[in-house]
Amino acid sequence: MKVFVKVRGDFGLDGKFTPLLFRTEDGPVVHIDRVLDVRPAASLRTGGKGVRYLCRVENAQVYLFRDEDMWFLEKILLSEKRKPYLRPQNAVI
């Protein structure tokens, strides 16, 4: 399932963008603990392509995609029984 999100981050001096947090339209703000990988890729589950950010959020890993002007999220499930937990933070986008 493709979940569109708002993203806030920083541009480095080299022009690279690093996402710091994201939020669904009605959901809580979620802080990204660490960006593990960045590469051009397609979302095989939900469709779409662009830059894929593999992010660690607490004990979960999520794919955050930038497809032209839109950002969307694809959750990575470690198993079908265990779903990732996204802890809300008190911040405003």
Side-chain angles (χ1 to χ4, degrees):
M1 178 178 169
K2 188 183 290 189
V3 178
F4 289 97
V5 292
K6 297 176 184 179
V7 174
R8 182 173 286 173
D10 285 334
F11 281 99
L13 295 175
D14 57 1
K16 292 181 182 177
F17 181 77
T18 303
L20 300 174
L21 49 94
F22 62 86
R23 180 178 142 193
T24 60
E25 188 172 335
D26 297 328
V29 171
V30 178
H31 287 264
I32 296 170
D33 296 329
R34 186 173 180 185
V35 176
L36 302 171
D37 185 46
V38 180
R39 67 178 66 196
S43 173
L44 300 177
R45 288 184 180 178
T46 60
K49 61 182 179 178
V51 179
R52 182 182 75 186
Y53 296 82
L54 174 59
C55 302
R56 179 176 300 158
V57 178
E58 282 224 351
N59 296 330
Q61 292 183 353
V62 296
Y63 284 133
L64 182 62
F65 285 89
R66 181 174 165 209
D67 187 0
E68 294 185 22
D69 294 347
M70 301 295 289
W71 288 86
F72 64 93
L73 185 68
E74 183 180 285
K75 295 180 183 178
I76 302 172
L77 301 181
L78 299 177
S79 71
E80 291 301 317
K81 295 179 182 177
R82 183 176 161 207
K83 295 185 179 180
Y85 171 69
L86 302 178
R87 177 175 52 111
Q89 300 288 326
N90 294 330
V92 176
I93 291 184

